[in-house]
Amino acid sequence: MNAHGTAHKYGDHVDTDVIIPARYLNTQSHAELAAHCMEDIDKDFPKKNKSGDIMVAGLNFGCGSSREHAPIAIKAAGVSCVIAKNFARIFYRNAINIGMPILECPAASEGIADGDEVSVDFDTGVITNVTKNETYQAEPFPDFIKEIIASGGLMASLKAKEARA
């Protein structure tokens, strides 16, 4: 499982209210959430983001409210991975539960600039900044998390296990 795309870079303490503003929380449409993802911090994000792109941030990404809408909006926008120095714990859990790959890697967070071409190997945890010809090492996902992400989320993973039983 791999990701490859253009980096969209953000700073520290990007909270869930910035990822998806509260005024859009009355919808269950993933496409509608994606259309407004990051608009209060980067109004052009929905237009410039392409499927497969990678979001990079600093400290405490996803802090604030514990709603699942934030990782859902990011995933529905087509972002293939979020890399940050670290994540708010509830955001981390919500992201994995919906099948959104996220990696903690301070060196990548610092080394990757907005617009850099980035690839990620989830099996090894190697993040490559193609633009700068640099590599960074994140902790690779354990097999059970890879299975959740590959299946599209925890509920999909549990349904697949039930079907095999």
Side-chain angles (χ1 to χ4, degrees):
M1 191 165 71
N2 297 309
H4 186 101
T6 301
H8 300 281
K9 180 86 179 255
Y10 301 98
D12 294 340
H13 310 293
V14 175
D15 67 53
T16 55
D17 289 327
V18 170
I19 296 168
I20 185 65
R23 62 188 172 274
Y24 301 111
L25 297 181
N26 59 349
T27 182
Q28 293 299 311
S29 166
H30 292 191
E32 182 73 11
L33 293 172
H36 299 288
C37 185
M38 307 302 282
E39 75 178 21
D40 282 357
I41 192 172
D42 182 358
K43 67 180 174 66
D44 294 325
F45 176 78
K47 295 175 195 152
K48 69 183 178 183
N49 180 59
K50 293 178 180 59
S51 184
D53 281 356
I54 295 169
M55 196 175 282
V56 180
L59 295 168
N60 202 26
F61 186 84
C63 58
S65 302
S66 64
R67 64 179 77 99
E68 282 186 334
H69 293 75
I72 289 170
I74 294 169
K75 184 177 179 183
V79 171
S80 62
C81 178
V82 180
I83 300 166
K85 286 185 180 179
N86 62 16
F87 294 89
R89 292 294 95 189
I90 193 69
F91 180 89
Y92 187 94
R93 182 178 180 135
N94 284 338
I96 297 300
N97 283 348
I98 64 145
M100 176 76 231
I102 58 176
L103 292 171
E104 291 184 335
C105 185
S109 172
E110 291 176 15
I112 297 170
D114 193 59
D116 284 354
E117 181 183 353
V118 177
S119 65
V120 180
D121 183 326
F122 295 118
D123 290 328
T124 63
V126 173
I127 301 166
T128 303
N129 184 329
V130 177
T131 303
K132 295 180 180 173
N133 194 28
E134 296 176 350
T135 59
Y136 319 98
Q137 184 65 57
E139 189 68 32
F141 293 123
D143 288 339
F144 77 96
I145 291 181
K146 283 192 260 186
E147 183 179 323
I148 291 169
I149 291 169
S151 70
L154 186 57
M155 292 309 295
S157 179
L158 292 173
K159 287 179 185 176
K161 281 186 179 183
E162 286 176 6
R164 288 191 302 262

